Amino acid sequence: MDQQHLLANTWITTVEHHAELSSTQDRARTAAAQLPLDVSLLVVADQQTQGRGRGSNRWWTGAGSLAFSLLFDPAQFGLPRGPRPEISLVVGLAVIEVVEPLLPERIVGLHWPNDVYVGSRKLAGILIDMLPDGRLIAGVGLNSNNTLADAPAELREQVTTLLDLTDRTHEPTELLIHFAQALAAGLSLLAKSPVELGRQFDLRCLQHGHSLTLRNGDQAITGICTGIATDGALLLDTDTGRRVCYSGTLR
Ligand code: BTN
């Protein structure tokens, strides 16, 4: 990774690159305690021993994949500090901006609430943590230069990688620079024109027409997905009418 090139071409102020970490998300959280609000930090790891997914899920960090967490203050982009359910979708749109030009023949889009898919396979997972002071940690696991040949058997039918899709490797520094630039543009647009940005969620949603079951604790809602609202809510048409869902786990 070319840290100087990355710092010179993005708004990111500090970078850490580790050969191995338990989780970039956890490292960014620990480092945040020593950093003032106006310092952003990118933590990248070649390998994670305890990569975290949403809930109790684990993230497979295959050799060559891009695992990173970006700590920043949303106020830097004109956003209030506080929970915003759309943030994971904005991060997803930024990932799409990076990978779509590399995959011209493919259908790339969002799976609510936090995944980027290519067709029916997951290319990237996103995890957003909010610190008590309102700073955000956007964690992204992008299957870039890793290959399904090395993936655990249970993932091989479900995920995909840039290397497997394109038969070539992709320079991580360039992926990260493009991501940081796309994210800054997305967050600024969210602050200025949330409805304009929010329309993209639905346009990029790949779950239209899918029958989905959303679980929240011991409650479950099953319905046909009619898209994503401009405020980031998943829209489900159920037997008892339209449900507007802000959280939960899809099965
Ligand atoms: C999911 O699919 O549930 C989200 C996966 C998020 C994985 C990334 S990899 C970098 C960052 N560090 C972690 O421990 N998790 C996120």
Side-chain angles (χ1 to χ4, degrees):
M1 228 187 85
D2 185 341
Q3 297 190 22
Q4 294 313 317
H5 184 48
L6 189 136
L7 290 170
N9 286 283
T10 65
W11 50 274
I12 296 168
T13 50
T14 42
V15 184
E16 288 182 4
H17 181 198
H18 300 262
E20 184 177 298
L21 277 179
S22 55
S23 156
T24 57
Q25 205 75 356
D26 294 346
R27 170 61 201 152
R29 185 181 279 269
T30 306
Q34 313 298 328
L35 295 174
L37 291 187
D38 60 351
V39 170
S40 53
L41 168 69
L42 175 70
V43 180
V44 184
D46 297 337
Q47 195 52 253
Q48 296 183 114
T49 52
Q50 308 274 322
R52 290 199 279 121
R54 288 183 81 230
S56 56
N57 293 345
R58 288 258 173 257
W59 178 257
W60 167 61
T61 313
S65 70
L66 190 52
F68 63 93
S69 297
L70 183 51
L71 165 76
F72 64 94
D73 182 359
Q76 175 180 355
F77 299 98
L79 289 162
R81 298 187 183 107
R84 276 302 276 257
E86 310 100 304
I87 294 287
S88 64
L89 295 164
V90 176
V91 174
L93 290 177
V95 171
I96 290 173
E97 258 193 64
V98 175
V99 300
E100 197 165 50
L102 309 173
L103 303 167
E105 308 289 312
R106 310 279 181 166
I107 295 169
V108 184
L110 295 171
H111 262 218
W112 188 95
N114 67 333
D115 293 333
V116 173
Y117 268 61
V118 178
S120 59
R121 285 169 176 264
K122 180 161 164 169
L123 180 73
I126 291 152
L127 183 66
I128 306 295
D129 287 334
M130 200 185 72
L131 300 179
D133 60 18
R135 279 179 293 174
L136 297 173
I137 301 173
V140 178
L142 172 61
N143 290 317
S144 50
N145 297 327
N146 48 330
T147 172
L148 284 189
D150 298 336
E154 68 274 15
L155 291 182
R156 273 186 215 143
E157 299 299 314
Q158 296 167 27
V159 307
T160 189
T161 81
L162 287 179
L163 174 66
D164 290 335
L165 290 167
T166 61
D167 268 335
R168 69 176 180 92
T169 57
H170 300 269
E171 177 52 53
T173 307
E174 297 306 327
L175 295 174
L176 287 164
I177 290 173
H178 194 173
F179 171 79
Q181 292 170 345
L183 182 64
L187 292 170
S188 301
L189 190 56
L190 179 66
K192 285 194 206 92
S193 314
V195 173
E196 187 186 333
L197 177 86
R199 284 196 201 102
Q200 293 296 321
F201 304 150
D202 191 52
L203 289 172
R204 304 315 303 247
C205 174
L206 295 180
Q207 293 148 302
H208 279 268
H210 291 196
S211 175
L212 302 176
T213 297
L214 185 70
R215 292 184 200 284
N216 245 322
D218 51 10
Q219 293 204 322
I221 304 168
T222 296
I224 302 296
C225 174
T226 55
I228 303 176
T230 54
D231 65 357
L234 178 72
L235 304 174
L236 291 180
D237 273 357
T238 73
D239 292 345
T240 54
R242 160 76 54 95
R243 300 290 294 267
V244 180
C245 311
Y246 286 93
S247 63
T249 306
L250 289 175
R251 282 278 172 260

